[in-house]
Amino acid sequence: MNTPLRDGKGTLYEGGTRVPLMWSWAGKIAQGGTDDAVVGPVDVYPTLIDLLGIAKPEKQTFDGVSYAKVLKGEGDLGRTAYFNYHPHAGANRAGGVWVRSGDFKLLRWFGNPATHELYNLTNDLGEAKDLATTMPEKVKELDALIDGFLKDT
């Protein structure tokens, strides 16, 4: 059970995408620290080479960012948005993509026509109150970020 998170694996809701992340490195990462930075698998490689002090290969492009400063308590992530792309349709829903920026998460479902759901995760971690119809400007702002992400991906 994922309470208070909505739904489970294989979905774009928090219960399907949110997992804990733990690091341990004696003398480098303080014990017991926590942070609410949103990171994912694309961030692991840049973080590892940063922590190890290895220079980034010249011609290599990273999709993710290093969160070494967050782990060492030296700064924040410096990213304004994080995306999760899940094109696989489920039993009752088309695939989709979401963007998380600040307190807000916008889901875009790939149906015809596309539909949106907007949640303030600070106030509604369980994604129970869809704000898309009451906050159309926020939907437009975050949907533009999704357009850029899909174009670049």
Side-chain angles (χ1 to χ4, degrees):
M1 187 141 219
N2 288 331
T3 306
L5 306 178
R6 180 175 177 178
D7 229 333
K9 293 297 172 199
T11 73
L12 286 172
Y13 295 109
E14 290 297 287
T17 60
R18 183 180 286 240
V19 296
L21 174 67
M22 293 177 274
W23 283 75
S24 177
W25 189 359
K28 298 285 184 179
I29 299 172
Q31 291 182 348
T34 62
D35 196 276
D36 61 357
V38 178
V39 298
V42 298
D43 302 318
V44 172
Y45 176 62
T47 302
L48 283 173
I49 68 166
D50 196 6
L51 287 170
L52 295 171
I54 299 170
K56 175 185 171 229
E58 249 181 70
K59 296 183 179 185
Q60 191 167 29
T61 301
F62 292 158
D63 289 329
V65 299
S66 171
Y67 52 93
K69 287 182 181 178
V70 174
L71 292 172
K72 296 189 289 184
E74 298 173 351
D76 63 12
L77 191 58
R79 172 169 44 212
T80 58
Y82 185 81
F83 302 87
N84 190 330
Y85 180 69
H86 188 78
H88 313 292
N92 298 316
R93 181 166 308 271
V97 59
W98 62 246
V99 60
R100 170 89 185 268
S101 183
D103 295 337
F104 290 93
K105 175 182 174 183
L106 179 72
L107 293 93
R108 180 198 291 177
W109 299 105
F110 294 147
N112 188 7
T115 58
H116 298 87
E117 295 177 35
L118 178 68
Y119 300 99
N120 180 323
L121 294 181
T122 299
N123 299 333
D124 180 21
L125 187 59
E127 296 168 298
K129 183 173 168 101
D130 182 0
L131 303 171
T133 57
T134 59
M135 299 183 72
E137 288 304 312
K138 182 56 83 173
V139 170
K140 185 177 178 181
E141 170 193 334
L142 296 176
D143 206 31
L145 294 177
I146 289 175
D147 285 341
F149 168 75
L150 292 175
K151 182 180 178 212
D152 291 342
T153 299

